[in-house]
């Protein structure tokens, strides 16, 4: 604090140590203040960086939310198209089965024509399209005979 010359007398030695201790305290106090100032500046910089990062993340969230909503709309459209294609695939599969059945029937007709001389394709088609002849003993065209039950059997 003050620049007091040192004296070598026995009474001045405690004063020199006191001045030396005061100087150390002052230097330590200055050093602590500088350290605290650097710490505050470091915290302030960290806070500013975090605020910037939060703002950036909010922008990313907004952009990702928009992308998510657009993708969800595309998913709905694609699922709808997929369902329509599944229905169409089932219809086409049934149509193919019908065509294969018709081809089998035509092959059978062709085979029958070859094995029945004197009959024409028209004769066979007429036979196919005519309803079966029902005999009086048959039930509704079935090949099984009708079973008659007496009223005594029904009153068991």
């Amino acid at each position: 604090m003050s620049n007091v010359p040192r004296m070598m007398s026995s009474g001045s030695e405690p004063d020199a140590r006191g001045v030396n201790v005061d100087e150390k305290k002052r230097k330590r106090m200055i050093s602590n203040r500088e350290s605290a100032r650097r710490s505050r500046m470091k915290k302030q910089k960290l806070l500013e960086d975090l605020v910037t990062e939060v703002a950036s993340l909010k922008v990313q969230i907004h952009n990702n939310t928009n992308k998510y909503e657009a993708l969800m709309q595309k998913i709905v459209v694609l699922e709808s198209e997929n369902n329509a294609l599944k229905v169409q695939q089932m219809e086409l599969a049934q149509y193919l089965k019908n065509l294969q059945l018709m081809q089998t029937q035509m092959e059978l007709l062709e085979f029958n024509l070859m094995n029945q001389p004197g009959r024409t394709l028209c004769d066979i088609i007429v036979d196919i399209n005519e309803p079966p002849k029902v005999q009086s003993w048959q039930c509704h065209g079935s090949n099984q005979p009708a079973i008659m039950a007496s009223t005594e059997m029904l009153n068991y």
Side-chain angles (χ1 to χ4, degrees), residues 19-80:
V19 169
N20 198 11
V21 169
D22 285 344
E23 184 65 25
K24 285 183 181 178
K25 276 185 175 180
R26 188 181 67 78
K27 285 182 180 179
R28 190 170 46 235
M29 200 164 67
I30 291 171
S31 175
N32 286 347
R33 285 180 183 162
E34 270 303 307
S35 177
R37 185 182 66 78
R38 285 191 307 268
S39 179
R40 285 190 303 273
M41 288 176 59
K42 187 176 176 182
K43 285 182 182 180
Q44 182 65 32
K45 172 75 170 118
L46 180 61
L47 180 62
E48 290 171 358
D49 291 346
L50 289 174
V51 167
T52 302
E53 185 178 357
V54 165
S56 173
L57 290 173
K58 284 182 179 180
V59 169
Q60 284 181 353
I61 287 171
H62 179 72
N63 291 338
N64 288 340
T65 300
N66 291 342
K67 288 178 186 177
Y68 171 79
E69 289 172 357
L71 289 173
M72 290 306 293
Q73 288 175 354
K74 285 183 182 179
I75 286 173
V76 168
V77 169
L78 290 174
E79 284 177 343
S80 175

Side-chain angles (χ1 to χ4, degrees), residues 1-155:
M1 298 209 167
S2 62
N3 290 337
V4 177
R6 288 186 180 174
M7 299 210 172
M8 293 305 216
S9 66
S10 62
S12 66
E13 282 184 31
D15 287 339
R17 272 192 284 172
V19 169
N20 198 11
V21 169
D22 285 344
E23 184 65 25
K24 285 183 181 178
K25 276 185 175 180
R26 188 181 67 78
K27 285 182 180 179
R28 190 170 46 235
M29 200 164 67
I30 291 171
S31 175
N32 286 347
R33 285 180 183 162
E34 270 303 307
S35 177
R37 185 182 66 78
R38 285 191 307 268
S39 179
R40 285 190 303 273
M41 288 176 59
K42 187 176 176 182
K43 285 182 182 180
Q44 182 65 32
K45 172 75 170 118
L46 180 61
L47 180 62
E48 290 171 358
D49 291 346
L50 289 174
V51 167
T52 302
E53 185 178 357
V54 165
S56 173
L57 290 173
K58 284 182 179 180
V59 169
Q60 284 181 353
I61 287 171
H62 179 72
N63 291 338
N64 288 340
T65 300
N66 291 342
K67 288 178 186 177
Y68 171 79
E69 289 172 357
L71 289 173
M72 290 306 293
Q73 288 175 354
K74 285 183 182 179
I75 286 173
V76 168
V77 169
L78 290 174
E79 284 177 343
S80 175
E81 289 176 2
N82 190 31
N83 289 337
L85 289 172
K86 284 180 181 178
V87 168
Q88 186 179 11
Q89 184 262 343
M90 290 180 1
E91 290 171 351
L92 290 172
Q94 186 61 45
Y95 183 70
L96 178 62
K97 284 180 184 179
N98 290 341
L99 288 175
Q100 289 171 339
L101 181 62
M102 288 171 55
Q103 181 183 9
T104 303
Q105 289 174 348
M106 290 301 292
E107 289 170 356
L108 183 60
L109 282 173
E110 189 177 316
F111 177 77
N112 285 339
L113 275 176
M114 286 186 199
N115 291 329
Q116 295 180 6
R119 291 194 75 194
T120 65
L121 179 60
C122 290
D123 294 336
I124 293 174
I125 291 174
V126 167
D127 288 346
I128 291 172
N129 288 329
E130 282 184 6
K133 295 180 177 125
V134 178
Q135 301 294 330
S136 60
W137 52 271
Q138 291 178 324
C139 286
H140 305 287
S142 73
N143 292 332
Q144 301 294 323
I147 299 175
M148 303 289 286
S150 68
T151 55
E152 291 174 2
M153 291 176 72
L154 294 174
N155 293 331

